[in-house]
């Protein structure tokens, strides 16, 4: 094993103490000191530099059966992370390399080399591998192009459009030839960002009036694609404006994640019969085969500035929980990142 530089005696990591009911509370979590991990055979020790916090993590805090196992009580949570290898017990990854992995919510992580992906900090800022060039970006790419079967000339509506996924969906649609792209966001500042920086044709503040009315004003001829990050009234509004043969890709429904009772479904589902519309949920994990194509196409857009991105950066492992709660509140513009 390569020489290990001097390391702290302890590793700080976030544990889930109890399963939140409704809105997560600080007492459901604890930042604890744990022994510094030692990489075993085939493992590397990573000093995490950037951590990802994402809405889907709220689901893992519940015990309900879902597409991914719940976080275990009393144990460190998980999430995307990127960092520098400080010790290696594995072929092919050396001290000084940078890797992307899934053992966030902690300062240091011992990671199986097979679960670590080398990334190039010279090709793009390290944080982008958690966002615009990472799982977030692939989610936007796969959901729009494969699940929603986007085609040139489509009118596209994106909810949560100032978020990490939504902002990329809208821009990819424009770059791919959408005739019109509309976004919804939760503040006038974000609406301005969508139009002036991300190139959306129209955007509205969903807090300023009924979503259905605002969508009809922004898309008087209807929509062909809806990329859903919010659910609730946004989904109902999109169904109401769906054109014949319209497609809805359901990525997330952040509006209902903290509900303690099931949210009512859209009241206008019969429109799907009239429009021959389609609603399909998707998970990015089912579309990793698109990763090479995604990087090949989107990488140059990011490098050239054709595809713009924002990050909201919170500093310090001690603020990891607050950053996560901020995502649920919609405090972030673009990808929420924790810098260690």
């Amino acid at each position: 094993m390569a020489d290990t530089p001097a390391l702290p005696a302890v590793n700080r990591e976030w544990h889930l103490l109890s399963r939140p009911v409704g809105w997560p509370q600080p007492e459901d979590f604890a930042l604890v000191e744990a022994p510094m991990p030692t990489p075993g055979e085939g493992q590397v020790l990573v000093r995490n530099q950037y951590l990802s916090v994402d809405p889907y993590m709220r689901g893992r805090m519940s015990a309900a059966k879902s597409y991914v196992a719940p976080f275990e009580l009393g144990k460190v949570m998980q999430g995307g992370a990127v960092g520098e290898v400080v010790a290696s017990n594995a072929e092919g990854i050396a001290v000084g390399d940078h890797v992307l992995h899934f053992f966030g919510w902690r300062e240091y992580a011992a990671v199986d080399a097979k679960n670590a992906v080398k990334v190039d900090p010279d090709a793009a800022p390290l944080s982008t591998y958690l966002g615009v060039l990472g799982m977030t970006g692939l989610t936007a790419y796969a959901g729009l192009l494969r699940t929603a079967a986007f085609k040139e000339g489509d009118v596209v509506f994106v909810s949560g459009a100032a978020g990490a996924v939504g902002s990329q969906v809208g821009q990819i649609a424009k770059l791919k030839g959408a005739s019109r792209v509309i976004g919804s966001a939760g503040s006038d500042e974000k609406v301005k960002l969508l139009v002036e920086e991300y190139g959306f044709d129209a955007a509205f503040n969903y807090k300023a009036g009924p979503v259905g009315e605002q969508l009809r004003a922004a898309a008087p001829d209807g929509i062909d694609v809806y990329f859903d990050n919010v659910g609730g009234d946004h989904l109902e509004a999109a169904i109401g404006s769906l054109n014949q043969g319209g497609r809805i890709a359901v990525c997330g429904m952040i509006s209902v994640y903290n509900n303690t009772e099931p949210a009512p479904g859209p009241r206008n589902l019969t429109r799907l019969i009239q429009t021959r519309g389609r609603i399909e949920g998707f998970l990015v994990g089912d579309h990793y085969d698109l990763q090479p194509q995604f990087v090949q196409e989107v990488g140059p857009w990011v490098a050239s500035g054709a595809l713009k991105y924002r990050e909201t950066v919170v500093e310090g492992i001690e603020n990891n929980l607050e950053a996560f709660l901020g995502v649920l509140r919609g405090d972030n513009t673009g990808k929420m990142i924790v810098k260690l």
Side-chain angles (χ1 to χ4, degrees):
M1 185 168 69
D3 291 339
T4 304
L7 298 173
V10 295
N11 186 30
R12 289 187 295 171
E13 55 187 40
W14 280 95
H15 289 200
L16 182 67
L17 301 185
S18 56
R19 303 208 179 277
V21 177
W23 195 268
Q25 301 298 319
E27 54 267 28
D28 295 323
F29 308 85
L31 179 61
V32 304
E33 292 187 345
M36 180 61 61
T38 302
E41 188 66 34
Q43 290 189 323
V44 295
L45 181 64
V46 182
R47 177 176 65 85
N48 288 331
Q49 292 169 284
Y50 294 95
L51 307 177
S52 178
V53 286
D54 304 279
Y56 79 87
M57 293 173 175
R58 176 62 184 88
R60 295 197 68 186
M61 294 171 186
S62 300
K65 186 175 180 180
S66 183
Y67 58 86
V68 63
F71 292 134
E72 293 185 55
L73 293 180
K75 294 189 177 181
V76 61
M77 295 184 290
Q78 297 173 334
V82 65
E84 182 181 2
V85 175
V86 295
S88 177
N89 216 357
E91 293 289 328
I93 301 180
V95 170
D97 284 345
H98 291 82
V99 295
L100 173 68
H101 61 89
F102 205 67
F103 293 90
W105 290 84
R106 70 200 82 185
E107 292 176 305
Y108 289 80
V111 182
D112 289 342
K114 65 183 180 183
N115 295 327
V117 178
K118 283 203 284 188
V119 296
D120 184 356
D122 296 324
L126 280 176
S127 58
T128 62
Y129 293 104
L130 294 175
V132 67
L133 291 178
M135 186 176 73
T136 301
L138 182 60
T139 300
Y141 189 85
L144 177 68
L145 301 183
R146 179 176 279 173
T147 306
F150 169 85
K151 58 184 183 296
E152 189 176 350
D154 278 344
V155 177
V156 177
F157 171 46
V158 188
S159 58
V165 173
S167 59
Q168 205 158 341
V169 171
Q171 291 183 83
I172 292 172
K174 289 294 290 184
L175 288 163
K176 287 283 203 176
S179 62
R180 187 167 176 78
V181 174
I182 301 116
S184 74
S187 72
D188 292 342
E189 182 183 19
K190 289 180 179 180
V191 166
K192 185 177 179 182
L193 173 73
L194 291 176
V195 175
E196 295 185 0
E197 185 167 330
Y198 293 150
F200 282 59
D201 297 290
F204 59 84
N205 181 347
Y206 66 83
K207 297 175 182 176
V211 175
E213 291 179 12
Q214 294 195 79
L215 178 58
R216 283 192 294 275
D221 296 323
I223 62 172
D224 303 299
V225 167
Y226 170 49
F227 193 103
D228 189 16
N229 291 306
V230 173
D233 55 356
H234 281 74
L235 178 56
E236 186 169 294
I239 293 171
S241 285
L242 205 63
N243 288 331
Q244 188 140 324
R247 290 89 63 205
I248 296 174
V250 181
C251 176
M253 293 191 175
I254 197 169
S255 70
V256 301
Y257 285 171
N258 293 305
N259 288 6
T260 55
E261 296 292 331
R267 296 166 295 181
N268 56 349
L269 284 173
T270 54
R271 280 210 82 244
L272 295 176
I273 302 169
Q274 303 159 24
T275 61
R276 289 70 147 181
R278 174 169 63 83
I279 301 180
E280 183 177 345
F282 75 98
L283 298 174
V284 66
D286 296 334
H287 302 282
Y288 284 140
D289 62 296
L290 288 176
Q291 180 77 23
Q293 175 185 323
F294 160 70
V295 172
Q296 183 179 17
E297 186 165 23
V298 176
W301 287 339
V302 174
S304 71
L307 195 153
K308 299 174 175 61
Y309 66 95
R310 288 282 192 99
E311 293 174 339
T312 300
V313 180
V314 172
E315 299 213 6
I317 185 74
E318 63 277 6
N319 294 315
N320 212 96
L321 174 60
E322 181 56 29
F324 167 71
L325 296 176
V327 170
L328 297 183
R329 290 191 298 261
D331 294 351
N332 56 304
T333 299
K335 184 76 181 81
M336 181 73 90
I337 299 280
V338 179
K339 181 181 180 181
L340 304 190

